[in-house]
Amino acid sequence: MKRLTSTRDILVHRERLRKEQATEKQTVVVCGGTGCETFGGSDLYKSLNRVIKDRGLKNKVLLKKTGCQGLCEKGPLVTLWPSNIFYRRVKESYAEKIIDETVGKGDVIQKLLYTDIQTREKVVHQEDVPFYKKQHRIVLRLNGVIAQDSIDEYIAAGGYSALEKVLEDMKPEQVVNEITDSGLRGRGGAGFPTGKKWEFVRNTTDSIKYVICNGDEGDPGAFMDRSVLEGNPHQVLEGMMIAAYAIGANRGYFYIRAEYPMAIKYVQTAIDQAKELGLLGENILGKGFGLDLEIKKGAGAFVCGEETSLIASIEGKRGMPRTRPPYPAISGLWGKPTCINNVETLANIPIIIEKGAGYYSSIGTKGSKGTKVFALAGKVRNTGLIEVPMGTTLREIIFEIGGGIAKGKKFKAAQIGGPSGGCVPEEYLDTPIDYESLKSIGAIMGSGGLVVMDEDTSMVEIARYFMGFCQDESCGKCPPCRIGTKKMLEKLTKIHDGKGCREDIEDLKVMANVTQTASLCGLGQTAPNPVLSTIRYFINEYEDLLKTGS
Amino acid sequence: MKKEATNRLAVDIRPTRKIVSSFGDVQESNLISILQELQDEYGYLPKAALKEVSRLMDVPLTRVFGIVTFYSQFSLVPKGKFTIKVCIGTACHVRGAEEVKTTIKQLLDVKEGETSADYMFTLESVACLGVCALGPVMVVGSSKKAAGCCDGQDGQTPPSGDKSYGHVKTEKIEGILESYSSDKE
Ligand SMILES: Cc1cc2nc3c(=O)[nH]c(=O)nc-3n(C[C@H](O)[C@H](O)[C@H](O)COP(=O)(O)O)c2cc1C
Ligand code: FES
């Protein structure tokens, strides 16, 4: 492959790829997301491949595999182009039927169609499935469209045109301003304005700076970042390149948790491909800007998602947090200014550059712009990966996109924000999803884990579960978190086992307060949230347990 | 468990040297990556290998141990041929992960983190495997670099040869485990 050495080169290259990829062929798309793979997507892919070969259709039918298409619960998913027929729960044994009947004769296989839960009618096209109707896909726009390991398809779909635009037409300050104007806020949890963070790093005078992509995704019950990294790694890479250009960094790291071997593999492939094309390395597209990227694997510690711990871990140390300030933007990796952003934050960047801050800020609410990807899981009918505009309500997400509670049970609570988040009861389901509204009801946006609970879930048990998690993952450096989480866990277990008394609840509140205010990092500061929110909204469940104990 | 006995067995130190030298001019920042490769190689981290790392890298052994004990990925004791990871993340938790774990514990007669007497299975729990939509989830993987685990052709099999099971039902677990025991050779 020839290296691209100018911005013109990439334009020419894209046109050539588009011509090459323009196809009259029928295309069979198999979802290669982890969910569909677990349900046998790989075997299905192999069978389809074999049938296509056996029938001598290699020249007429194109088979491809993409990243997660979202509706994991109903996997494996298959889409056919150009007819746009959408099949779900496709067993391997259907490979022949799909090729012979649907591809060959254009017949729709009724059994494989999605059934609308409300109307009981069969739905033929993906966009008509209620799960997809309410979504607005920006970050995930190419998931399910391009092959997950192909830089060619990414480029043909317009990929790396944002990089070309910033290198050709924009000064670093302009890039920073564009991101600030877009209103983008960090998707890793805290919601810090991304443009402002970049500006801090940009304004430091060090000659060495770093960018880091936070792909630790430790929040149990979340798989957004994984799906983006696996489904469309180049979009994150491009975001990182633009970040590096804007802040003046020439070196960057992907920190990805070891539990995600596929994500690591696809990102590594993407880095290698970009290098080969000359999109990484020195003098990118002949514009004098250079960048090298490398992956560091996490080693199974939740606290390493916290930025200062993550930095310690990349430095090869125990991943323990330190006090801030100084913030990493001033003194980060090896004491140098470091910009650390979440996967989804970075995946938004190319779109903002391409379509402009105005476009981006027209989506969402006053204080929260753009879209948010959620991992919808738990006791909801349609679990999976979704992307909605900020301001969508929890009710819309759970009942319209998610199709309501599974097995005809009653909704009890939505846990949003993971171990740092809170449980939202029925009466707040109409709260719009934005950073401030969620905070006001005792939850947080968090990274995007959304776990639905039904009437069978005990809220005291859930509080205990999260506290157990935080206690386990507390790094032990600061006493309020180390001791606070342990003591709270003891109290919660006591209450849960029916041995608690009223004072225990009061004690819990006091401990929660101390742990919140005195802990060193976000882990301890937010660990009490699930306890406080369950006490606030489900005090009756705590009280019921007290009664049985006495 | 026979972990003491196994630890006293002679450990071939050559792969350790090879791995450390493959990092070239090693810096302390490579320590975690080196330990990850060692664990892939040996299936766990033998003491002799750690001592060698400490010597070659000129890093105090206490620091090496500090890293090993901090990160849950590392193990100081040998693991079974297969590692079963039961997800206890939130989504799996509300869908019955605890019962899955209990069932496996009973079937293998082990506690969490332990290895079955025949060294076939090690039971671990992990917080979220990122397949939450399919909870409860468990993953069975070979601990060591098993030959032939990746067909590599279309590059679709996870590199570690892990197989994940979604919507795990407790009644099905025995059958799943048996399917592994039968390819004992
Ligand atoms: C205990 C703890 C765990 C965290 N885990 C993650 C994580 O898994 N992924 C992530 O992107 N941010 C995580 N964060 C937030 C990071 O510290 C940091 O704010 C974020 O990566 C910044 O990127 P953003 O501005 O793009 O959101 C965590 C924070 C804390 C306190
Ligand atoms: S909670 Fe089990 S895979 Fe995420």
Side-chain angles (χ1 to χ4, degrees):
Chain A
M1 177 61 64
K2 195 173 128 292
R3 271 178 70 94
L4 307 174
T5 53
S6 70
T7 45
R8 217 193 101 73
D9 271 6
I10 191 165
L11 294 177
V12 175
H13 187 59
R14 181 174 300 117
E15 279 319 306
R16 212 190 53 234
L17 289 172
R18 280 187 178 159
K19 280 206 194 91
E20 272 171 30
Q21 286 171 27
T23 173
E24 307 277 278
K25 289 182 191 173
Q26 295 218 45
T27 309
V28 181
V29 183
V30 181
C31 178
T34 322
C36 289
E37 293 271 290
T38 305
F39 282 137
S42 258
D43 295 335
L44 173 69
Y45 182 88
K46 281 183 200 142
S47 294
L48 284 166
N49 203 10
R50 204 197 56 235
V51 178
I52 292 171
K53 226 198 247 148
D54 289 352
R55 305 284 194 271
L57 293 171
K58 272 261 165 208
N59 295 322
K60 295 213 180 90
V61 183
L62 186 72
L63 178 65
K64 80 171 170 187
K65 202 166 207 176
T66 68
C68 179
Q69 302 183 1
L71 193 50
C72 312
E73 181 84 35
K74 304 274 188 283
L77 306 177
V78 171
T79 318
L80 296 120
W81 298 342
S83 62
N84 211 12
I85 294 169
F86 175 66
Y87 290 148
R88 99 278 177 256
R89 291 255 160 89
V90 185
K91 294 217 180 69
E92 193 190 343
S93 53
Y94 274 97
E96 291 193 0
K97 240 178 133 96
I98 289 177
I99 299 298
D100 294 340
E101 295 181 13
T102 310
V103 174
K105 300 189 217 137
D107 293 345
V108 176
I109 305 168
Q110 294 293 326
K111 238 191 126 188
L112 296 179
L113 291 179
Y114 179 89
T115 313
D116 190 323
I117 303 156
Q118 248 94 49
T119 61
R120 300 258 118 232
E121 272 171 32
K122 299 272 185 194
V123 184
V124 180
H125 305 301
Q126 188 179 61
E127 64 272 18
D128 298 327
V129 174
F131 178 80
Y132 291 98
K133 261 193 196 157
K134 278 253 160 181
Q135 295 194 43
H136 186 129
R137 299 185 146 216
I138 295 184
V139 171
L140 301 175
R141 71 196 159 138
L142 294 177
N143 262 49
V145 178
I146 61 171
Q148 50 199 151
D149 54 359
S150 167
I151 191 170
D152 288 350
E153 291 198 18
Y154 181 66
I155 292 178
Y160 289 112
S161 53
L163 176 72
E164 176 232 313
K165 183 169 170 186
V166 300
L167 293 181
E168 184 68 37
D169 303 325
M170 294 172 87
K171 291 207 184 64
E173 304 83 69
Q174 286 176 298
V175 178
V176 173
N177 288 342
E178 193 75 17
I179 301 302
T180 306
D181 293 345
S182 75
L184 175 66
R185 295 170 67 173
R187 302 294 193 239
F192 191 81
T194 307
K196 204 178 245 171
K197 189 186 280 186
W198 288 16
E199 197 180 324
F200 286 146
V201 188
R202 162 104 215 120
N203 288 341
T204 58
T205 50
D206 284 74
S207 58
I208 298 178
K209 301 176 190 179
Y210 297 101
V211 287
I212 297 176
C213 170
N214 188 344
D216 197 47
E217 193 159 66
D219 170 357
F223 51 90
M224 308 77 47
D225 294 348
R226 168 193 198 143
S227 306
V228 175
L229 289 173
E230 287 179 3
N232 189 2
H234 284 289
Q235 193 165 318
V236 187
L237 238 66
E238 189 177 1
M240 233 170 142
M241 295 174 189
I242 295 168
Y245 173 76
I247 62 167
N250 300 112
R251 208 174 163 79
Y253 292 92
F254 273 94
Y255 190 87
I256 307 177
R257 62 199 298 245
E259 288 85 345
Y260 287 178
M262 299 282 274
I264 293 169
K265 194 181 107 178
Y266 284 118
V267 172
Q268 188 60 56
T269 310
I271 292 176
D272 295 343
Q273 290 169 338
K275 248 187 219 156
E276 206 183 305
L277 261 188
L279 294 173
L280 282 175
E282 279 170 26
N283 195 13
I284 295 168
L285 299 180
K287 290 290 170 188
F289 163 69
L291 177 68
D292 280 312
L293 293 179
E294 191 186 319
I295 299 178
K296 286 276 181 179
K297 274 195 284 176
F302 172 67
V303 72
C304 284
E306 194 279 334
E307 51 193 26
T308 59
S309 311
L310 188 152
I311 287 170
S313 182
I314 294 185
E315 289 172 352
K317 303 189 187 121
R318 286 162 73 99
M320 298 209 276
R322 60 161 177 77
T323 41
R324 299 174 306 175
Y327 286 89
I330 309 298
S331 171
L333 190 58
W334 290 298
K336 301 293 178 196
T338 304
C339 172
I340 169 161
N341 275 127
N342 164 262
V343 170
E344 192 184 329
T345 312
L346 291 168
N348 272 295
I349 302 294
I351 298 127
I352 296 173
I353 297 294
E354 226 179 281
K355 301 204 171 174
Y359 162 80
Y360 195 80
S361 60
S362 69
I363 307 166
T365 66
K366 191 159 168 287
S368 309
K369 300 298 184 192
T371 60
K372 179 77 195 85
V373 181
F374 286 99
L376 187 57
K379 308 258 185 98
V380 65
R381 269 211 191 95
N382 297 330
T383 55
L385 188 72
I386 63 164
E387 181 174 354
V388 291
M390 295 279 189
T392 308
T393 66
L394 280 169
R395 191 183 299 282
E396 287 170 303
I397 293 180
I398 297 167
F399 289 92
E400 294 181 35
I401 297 174
I405 309 305
K407 301 197 180 114
K409 299 265 180 173
K410 242 177 80 87
F411 171 86
K412 186 185 265 180
Q415 209 286 337
I416 179 164
S420 322
C423 294
V424 181
E426 172 95 45
E427 63 259 41
Y428 289 104
L429 275 184
D430 293 308
T431 309
I433 303 258
D434 65 55
Y435 291 96
E436 279 68 33
S437 308
L438 284 173
K439 213 165 178 179
S440 74
I441 55 169
I444 58 163
M445 176 80 73
S447 53
L450 183 55
V451 182
V452 178
M453 297 162 186
D454 68 12
E455 54 189 310
D456 293 344
T457 318
S458 150
M459 298 318 282
V460 179
E461 208 278 325
I462 286 297
R464 187 183 66 149
Y465 164 78
F466 278 117
M467 195 51 70
F469 178 83
C470 289
Q471 192 258 321
D472 220 31
E473 294 293 341
S474 168
C475 76
K477 182 168 173 174
C478 78
C481 171
R482 183 180 66 227
I483 302 169
T485 52
K486 186 150 175 64
K487 287 288 163 198
M488 283 188 280
L489 179 62
E490 281 169 15
K491 289 275 177 206
L492 286 165
T493 309
K494 188 175 161 200
I495 296 171
H496 179 263
D497 293 347
K499 297 186 185 128
C501 54
R502 197 153 284 278
E503 286 83 73
D504 288 320
I505 300 180
E506 292 312 309
D507 286 351
L508 264 178
K509 287 190 196 160
V510 175
M511 291 175 187
N513 215 313
V514 174
T515 312
Q516 260 178 344
T517 36
S519 290
L520 175 59
C521 85
L523 199 160
Q525 288 158 10
T526 58
N529 288 359
V531 181
L532 291 174
S533 77
T534 46
I535 291 185
R536 178 163 158 195
Y537 298 123
F538 300 98
I539 185 72
N540 58 325
E541 294 199 19
Y542 282 84
E543 285 168 346
D544 286 351
L545 284 166
L546 298 186
K547 277 179 224 138
T548 52
S550 53
Chain B
M1 283 208 305
K2 302 168 284 188
K3 64 185 174 202
E4 274 311 306
T6 336
N7 257 355
R8 259 185 257 119
L9 285 180
V11 168
D12 183 0
I13 211 74
R14 279 168 303 183
T16 307
R17 293 191 183 131
K18 213 167 125 202
I19 286 169
V20 175
S21 64
S22 75
F23 279 77
D25 184 14
V26 286
Q27 284 154 355
E28 205 177 321
S29 62
N30 296 126
L31 188 52
I32 295 174
S33 311
I34 287 174
L35 293 174
Q36 283 171 332
E37 289 201 11
L38 285 177
Q39 173 139 322
D40 279 348
E41 174 69 33
Y42 293 102
Y44 74 110
L45 293 171
K47 286 209 179 81
L50 296 180
K51 280 188 184 148
E52 187 67 5
V53 168
S54 151
R55 191 182 70 79
L56 291 170
M57 293 182 67
D58 199 20
V59 173
L61 191 58
T62 49
R63 194 158 321 150
V64 179
F65 264 82
I67 302 280
V68 172
T69 51
F70 182 85
Y71 293 101
S72 63
Q73 191 193 5
F74 297 124
S75 167
L76 288 164
V77 292
K79 294 191 184 178
K81 187 168 172 198
F82 300 102
T83 302
I84 306 170
K85 292 185 181 161
V86 179
C87 177
I88 50 159
T90 321
C92 292
H93 180 79
V94 300
R95 285 196 185 178
E98 209 50 50
E99 288 83 63
V100 171
K101 213 165 70 183
T102 313
T103 309
I104 301 177
K105 278 183 189 167
Q106 282 164 357
L107 285 170
L108 297 178
D109 190 21
V110 293
K111 291 203 200 67
E112 197 175 318
E114 285 186 353
T115 300
S116 60
D118 59 1
Y119 271 91
M120 279 300 285
F121 296 104
T122 301
L123 174 64
E124 289 176 0
S125 62
V126 287
C128 195
L129 291 156
V131 208
C132 321
L134 312 180
V137 174
M138 66 183 229
V139 170
V140 183
S142 45
S143 308
K144 305 215 176 118
K145 277 187 185 156
C149 68
C150 321
D151 59 11
Q153 285 188 342
D154 49 5
Q156 303 298 348
T157 316
S160 50
D162 291 350
K163 181 158 172 50
S164 24
Y165 297 86
H167 292 328
V168 176
K169 297 204 174 62
T170 45
E171 330 69 272
K172 293 269 170 72
I173 294 174
E174 192 163 7
I176 295 176
L177 297 188
E178 266 166 15
S179 73
Y180 285 88
S181 304
S182 55
D183 58 56
K184 249 176 189 169
E185 283 127 48

